[in-house]
Amino acid sequence: MTTIFRKSVLSVAGLAFAGGVFAGPIAAHANPVDAKPAAVAVQTSAPKPQGDQSRIDLNGEQTANVKAIIAATKKAGLPERAAVISIATSLQESKLENLGHLGDRNDHDSLGLFQQRPSSGWGTPEQITDPGYSTTAFLKGLKQVDRWQDMPLTDAAQTVQVSAYPDAYAQWEQQATDLVGQHWNS
């Protein structure tokens, strides 16, 4: 060992020892009964939102659609996480607006909150544009996804929707979570 390296190691060891000598008595006299943690980590079963988050202001119709999605989720006996996935999906697909046929701007024959297609077996146009029905249809698909409760929202939504933009659902997770928190018990 070179002299410089040995002195450096001994200096670091000396500082560590001195820190322990001074901190030890202080820590020994601390009152653990009065100690309060600065922050508490809360473990939740839902994964954290992925990526950058988007947010829009909702009007009365959109808020009513949020409540319809939550009501259908409760009626299906599913937990809040299913409502979060449903609302985030609808935020991406229609901004929570119950869309009719959009003409040339329409993606094939997609309709309603979830942009479901009659030609793909989601239901009739009248059914798909009913918020309760369309949510129930979405949830039926979600329940068929193994371990949907534990996967990232975008993966669960994409498995049901089969979108051309599979990662787009993730951006709405925080707003969907906030909306479910706000309206689940109302």
Side-chain angles (χ1 to χ4, degrees), residues 79-114:
E80 292 178 44
R81 179 72 179 157
V84 170
I85 294 168
S86 300
I87 291 170
T89 300
S90 181
L91 277 163
Q92 175 57 32
E93 296 292 346
S94 69
K95 303 298 183 273
L96 287 164
E97 294 176 2
N98 198 4
L99 299 175
H101 195 280
L102 300 175
D104 292 340
R105 296 178 303 143
N106 208 36
D107 179 22
H108 306 288
D109 58 340
S110 301
L111 301 168
L113 295 174
F114 296 90

Short mmCIF file of all heavy atoms in Angstrom, two decimals, residues 79-114:
data_model
loop_
_atom_site.label_atom_id
_atom_site.label_comp_id
_atom_site.label_asym_id
_atom_site.label_seq_id
_atom_site.Cartn_x
_atom_site.Cartn_y
_atom_site.Cartn_z
N PRO A 79 -63.63 -3.69 -7.95
CA PRO A 79 -63.02 -2.68 -7.09
C PRO A 79 -62.74 -1.36 -7.81
O PRO A 79 -62.88 -1.26 -9.04
CB PRO A 79 -61.71 -3.34 -6.64
CG PRO A 79 -61.35 -4.23 -7.79
CD PRO A 79 -62.68 -4.76 -8.31
N GLU A 80 -62.31 -0.39 -7.04
CA GLU A 80 -62.00 0.94 -7.55
C GLU A 80 -60.98 0.90 -8.69
O GLU A 80 -61.05 1.70 -9.62
CB GLU A 80 -61.49 1.84 -6.43
CG GLU A 80 -62.56 2.18 -5.40
CD GLU A 80 -62.04 3.03 -4.26
OE1 GLU A 80 -61.29 3.99 -4.51
OE2 GLU A 80 -62.39 2.72 -3.11
N ARG A 81 -60.04 -0.02 -8.62
CA ARG A 81 -59.00 -0.11 -9.66
C ARG A 81 -59.64 -0.33 -11.04
O ARG A 81 -59.17 0.21 -12.04
CB ARG A 81 -58.02 -1.25 -9.34
CG ARG A 81 -56.92 -1.43 -10.37
CD ARG A 81 -55.90 -0.33 -10.32
NE ARG A 81 -54.84 -0.58 -11.31
CZ ARG A 81 -54.08 0.34 -11.81
NH1 ARG A 81 -54.21 1.59 -11.40
NH2 ARG A 81 -53.15 0.07 -12.69
N ALA A 82 -60.72 -1.11 -11.10
CA ALA A 82 -61.40 -1.33 -12.38
C ALA A 82 -62.01 -0.02 -12.89
O ALA A 82 -61.98 0.25 -14.10
CB ALA A 82 -62.49 -2.40 -12.23
N ALA A 83 -62.53 0.80 -11.98
CA ALA A 83 -63.08 2.10 -12.38
C ALA A 83 -61.98 3.02 -12.87
O ALA A 83 -62.16 3.76 -13.84
CB ALA A 83 -63.84 2.73 -11.21
N VAL A 84 -60.82 2.98 -12.22
CA VAL A 84 -59.69 3.80 -12.65
C VAL A 84 -59.28 3.42 -14.07
O VAL A 84 -59.09 4.29 -14.94
CB VAL A 84 -58.49 3.67 -11.67
CG1 VAL A 84 -57.23 4.32 -12.26
CG2 VAL A 84 -58.83 4.28 -10.32
N ILE A 85 -59.16 2.13 -14.33
CA ILE A 85 -58.77 1.67 -15.67
C ILE A 85 -59.83 2.08 -16.69
O ILE A 85 -59.51 2.55 -17.78
CB ILE A 85 -58.53 0.14 -15.67
CG1 ILE A 85 -57.32 -0.20 -14.80
CG2 ILE A 85 -58.35 -0.38 -17.09
CD1 ILE A 85 -57.16 -1.67 -14.50
N SER A 86 -61.10 1.93 -16.32
CA SER A 86 -62.20 2.28 -17.24
C SER A 86 -62.21 3.77 -17.55
O SER A 86 -62.36 4.17 -18.71
CB SER A 86 -63.54 1.87 -16.63
OG SER A 86 -63.59 0.48 -16.41
N ILE A 87 -62.07 4.60 -16.53
CA ILE A 87 -62.11 6.05 -16.74
C ILE A 87 -60.89 6.51 -17.53
O ILE A 87 -61.01 7.33 -18.45
CB ILE A 87 -62.24 6.79 -15.39
CG1 ILE A 87 -63.64 6.53 -14.82
CG2 ILE A 87 -61.98 8.29 -15.55
CD1 ILE A 87 -63.84 6.99 -13.39
N ALA A 88 -59.72 5.98 -17.23
CA ALA A 88 -58.52 6.35 -18.00
C ALA A 88 -58.68 5.94 -19.46
O ALA A 88 -58.30 6.69 -20.37
CB ALA A 88 -57.28 5.70 -17.39
N THR A 89 -59.27 4.79 -19.68
CA THR A 89 -59.49 4.32 -21.05
C THR A 89 -60.44 5.26 -21.79
O THR A 89 -60.20 5.67 -22.92
CB THR A 89 -60.04 2.88 -21.05
OG1 THR A 89 -59.09 2.03 -20.40
CG2 THR A 89 -60.29 2.39 -22.46
N SER A 90 -61.52 5.64 -21.11
CA SER A 90 -62.48 6.55 -21.73
C SER A 90 -61.89 7.94 -21.93
O SER A 90 -62.19 8.60 -22.93
CB SER A 90 -63.75 6.63 -20.88
OG SER A 90 -64.69 7.49 -21.48
N LEU A 91 -61.05 8.38 -21.01
CA LEU A 91 -60.38 9.67 -21.20
C LEU A 91 -59.55 9.64 -22.48
O LEU A 91 -59.55 10.61 -23.26
CB LEU A 91 -59.49 10.01 -20.00
CG LEU A 91 -60.20 10.65 -18.82
CD1 LEU A 91 -59.34 10.56 -17.55
CD2 LEU A 91 -60.53 12.11 -19.12
N GLN A 92 -58.85 8.55 -22.72
CA GLN A 92 -58.04 8.44 -23.93
C GLN A 92 -58.90 8.32 -25.18
O GLN A 92 -58.64 8.97 -26.18
CB GLN A 92 -57.08 7.24 -23.83
CG GLN A 92 -56.29 6.99 -25.09
CD GLN A 92 -55.45 8.18 -25.54
OE1 GLN A 92 -54.97 8.97 -24.74
NE2 GLN A 92 -55.29 8.34 -26.86
N GLU A 93 -59.90 7.47 -25.11
CA GLU A 93 -60.69 7.17 -26.31
C GLU A 93 -61.63 8.30 -26.72
O GLU A 93 -61.84 8.52 -27.91
CB GLU A 93 -61.50 5.88 -26.09
CG GLU A 93 -60.64 4.63 -25.91
CD GLU A 93 -59.89 4.22 -27.16
OE1 GLU A 93 -60.19 4.72 -28.27
OE2 GLU A 93 -58.97 3.39 -27.04
N SER A 94 -62.22 9.00 -25.74
CA SER A 94 -63.26 9.99 -26.10
C SER A 94 -63.24 11.25 -25.24
O SER A 94 -64.14 12.08 -25.37
CB SER A 94 -64.63 9.33 -25.96
OG SER A 94 -64.91 9.09 -24.59
N LYS A 95 -62.27 11.36 -24.33
CA LYS A 95 -62.25 12.47 -23.35
C LYS A 95 -63.54 12.47 -22.53
O LYS A 95 -64.05 13.51 -22.13
CB LYS A 95 -62.05 13.84 -24.03
CG LYS A 95 -60.81 13.94 -24.87
CD LYS A 95 -59.54 13.76 -24.06
CE LYS A 95 -58.29 13.94 -24.87
NZ LYS A 95 -57.83 12.74 -25.55
N LEU A 96 -64.06 11.25 -22.28
CA LEU A 96 -65.28 11.04 -21.48
C LEU A 96 -66.53 11.64 -22.14
O LEU A 96 -67.50 11.94 -21.48
CB LEU A 96 -65.12 11.57 -20.05
CG LEU A 96 -64.22 10.74 -19.14
CD1 LEU A 96 -63.83 11.53 -17.90
CD2 LEU A 96 -64.92 9.44 -18.75
N GLU A 97 -66.49 11.77 -23.46
CA GLU A 97 -67.66 12.24 -24.20
C GLU A 97 -68.27 11.05 -24.93
O GLU A 97 -67.56 10.24 -25.52
CB GLU A 97 -67.27 13.34 -25.19
CG GLU A 97 -66.80 14.60 -24.50
CD GLU A 97 -66.32 15.67 -25.46
OE1 GLU A 97 -66.38 15.46 -26.69
OE2 GLU A 97 -65.86 16.71 -24.99
N ASN A 98 -69.58 10.95 -24.87
CA ASN A 98 -70.28 9.84 -25.49
C ASN A 98 -70.43 10.13 -26.98
O ASN A 98 -71.43 10.67 -27.42
CB ASN A 98 -71.64 9.65 -24.81
CG ASN A 98 -72.23 8.30 -25.08
OD1 ASN A 98 -71.61 7.45 -25.70
ND2 ASN A 98 -73.44 8.10 -24.62
N LEU A 99 -69.42 9.76 -27.75
CA LEU A 99 -69.33 10.16 -29.16
C LEU A 99 -70.20 9.29 -30.06
O LEU A 99 -70.19 8.06 -29.98
CB LEU A 99 -67.88 10.07 -29.63
CG LEU A 99 -66.88 10.96 -28.89
CD1 LEU A 99 -65.47 10.69 -29.38
CD2 LEU A 99 -67.24 12.43 -29.05
N GLY A 100 -70.93 9.96 -30.94
CA GLY A 100 -71.66 9.28 -32.01
C GLY A 100 -70.73 9.11 -33.20
O GLY A 100 -69.52 9.27 -33.09
N HIS A 101 -71.29 8.83 -34.34
CA HIS A 101 -70.49 8.64 -35.54
C HIS A 101 -69.88 9.99 -35.95
O HIS A 101 -70.59 10.99 -36.04
CB HIS A 101 -71.34 8.07 -36.68
CG HIS A 101 -70.52 7.53 -37.79
ND1 HIS A 101 -69.96 8.35 -38.75
CD2 HIS A 101 -70.13 6.27 -38.07
CE1 HIS A 101 -69.26 7.60 -39.59
NE2 HIS A 101 -69.35 6.34 -39.20
N LEU A 102 -68.60 10.01 -36.18
CA LEU A 102 -67.89 11.26 -36.47
C LEU A 102 -67.61 11.47 -37.96
O LEU A 102 -66.78 12.30 -38.32
CB LEU A 102 -66.57 11.29 -35.69
CG LEU A 102 -66.70 11.21 -34.17
CD1 LEU A 102 -65.32 11.13 -33.52
CD2 LEU A 102 -67.48 12.39 -33.62
N GLY A 103 -68.27 10.72 -38.80
CA GLY A 103 -68.06 10.90 -40.24
C GLY A 103 -66.65 10.54 -40.64
O GLY A 103 -66.11 9.51 -40.22
N ASP A 104 -66.01 11.39 -41.45
CA ASP A 104 -64.65 11.11 -41.92
C ASP A 104 -63.62 11.09 -40.80
O ASP A 104 -62.56 10.50 -40.94
CB ASP A 104 -64.23 12.17 -42.96
CG ASP A 104 -65.01 12.05 -44.26
OD1 ASP A 104 -65.59 10.97 -44.50
OD2 ASP A 104 -65.05 13.04 -45.01
N ARG A 105 -63.92 11.73 -39.68
CA ARG A 105 -62.98 11.75 -38.55
C ARG A 105 -63.12 10.50 -37.69
O ARG A 105 -62.39 10.31 -36.73
CB ARG A 105 -63.22 12.98 -37.67
CG ARG A 105 -62.95 14.28 -38.41
CD ARG A 105 -63.23 15.48 -37.53
NE ARG A 105 -64.62 15.44 -37.04
CZ ARG A 105 -65.00 15.81 -35.83
NH1 ARG A 105 -64.14 16.29 -34.98
NH2 ARG A 105 -66.26 15.75 -35.48
N ASN A 106 -64.08 9.64 -38.00
CA ASN A 106 -64.34 8.46 -37.21
C ASN A 106 -63.34 7.35 -37.51
O ASN A 106 -62.92 7.18 -38.65
CB ASN A 106 -65.76 7.95 -37.49
CG ASN A 106 -66.36 7.21 -36.32
OD1 ASN A 106 -66.12 7.57 -35.19
ND2 ASN A 106 -67.13 6.19 -36.61
N ASP A 107 -62.98 6.61 -36.50
CA ASP A 107 -62.13 5.44 -36.66
C ASP A 107 -63.05 4.26 -36.96
O ASP A 107 -63.62 3.67 -36.04
CB ASP A 107 -61.31 5.20 -35.39
CG ASP A 107 -60.43 3.98 -35.49
OD1 ASP A 107 -60.11 3.55 -36.62
OD2 ASP A 107 -60.07 3.43 -34.44
N HIS A 108 -63.25 3.97 -38.21
CA HIS A 108 -64.15 2.90 -38.66
C HIS A 108 -65.57 3.21 -38.17
O HIS A 108 -66.12 4.23 -38.51
CB HIS A 108 -63.64 1.54 -38.20
CG HIS A 108 -62.23 1.28 -38.61
ND1 HIS A 108 -61.86 1.02 -39.91
CD2 HIS A 108 -61.08 1.26 -37.89
CE1 HIS A 108 -60.55 0.83 -39.97
NE2 HIS A 108 -60.05 0.98 -38.77
N ASP A 109 -66.12 2.33 -37.32
CA ASP A 109 -67.48 2.54 -36.81
C ASP A 109 -67.47 2.69 -35.29
O ASP A 109 -68.41 2.33 -34.61
CB ASP A 109 -68.41 1.41 -37.27
CG ASP A 109 -67.93 0.03 -36.83
OD1 ASP A 109 -66.73 -0.13 -36.52
OD2 ASP A 109 -68.76 -0.90 -36.81
N SER A 110 -66.39 3.23 -34.74
CA SER A 110 -66.23 3.38 -33.30
C SER A 110 -67.21 4.40 -32.74
O SER A 110 -67.41 5.47 -33.32
CB SER A 110 -64.80 3.82 -32.97
OG SER A 110 -63.88 2.88 -33.44
N LEU A 111 -67.79 4.07 -31.57
CA LEU A 111 -68.81 4.92 -30.94
C LEU A 111 -68.64 4.93 -29.43
O LEU A 111 -68.04 4.04 -28.84
CB LEU A 111 -70.21 4.38 -31.26
CG LEU A 111 -70.62 4.28 -32.72
CD1 LEU A 111 -71.91 3.47 -32.85
CD2 LEU A 111 -70.79 5.66 -33.31
N GLY A 112 -69.24 5.93 -28.80
CA GLY A 112 -69.39 5.96 -27.35
C GLY A 112 -68.16 6.38 -26.57
O GLY A 112 -67.19 6.90 -27.11
N LEU A 113 -68.23 6.14 -25.27
CA LEU A 113 -67.17 6.53 -24.34
C LEU A 113 -65.86 5.78 -24.60
O LEU A 113 -64.78 6.33 -24.40
CB LEU A 113 -67.60 6.24 -22.90
CG LEU A 113 -68.76 7.03 -22.34
CD1 LEU A 113 -69.15 6.52 -20.96
CD2 LEU A 113 -68.42 8.51 -22.29
N PHE A 114 -65.97 4.53 -25.01
CA PHE A 114 -64.79 3.68 -25.17
C PHE A 114 -64.42 3.46 -26.64
O PHE A 114 -63.52 2.69 -26.94
CB PHE A 114 -65.03 2.33 -24.50
CG PHE A 114 -65.21 2.42 -23.02
CD1 PHE A 114 -66.47 2.60 -22.47
CD2 PHE A 114 -64.12 2.36 -22.16
CE1 PHE A 114 -66.64 2.70 -21.09
CE2 PHE A 114 -64.27 2.45 -20.79
CZ PHE A 114 -65.54 2.63 -20.26
#
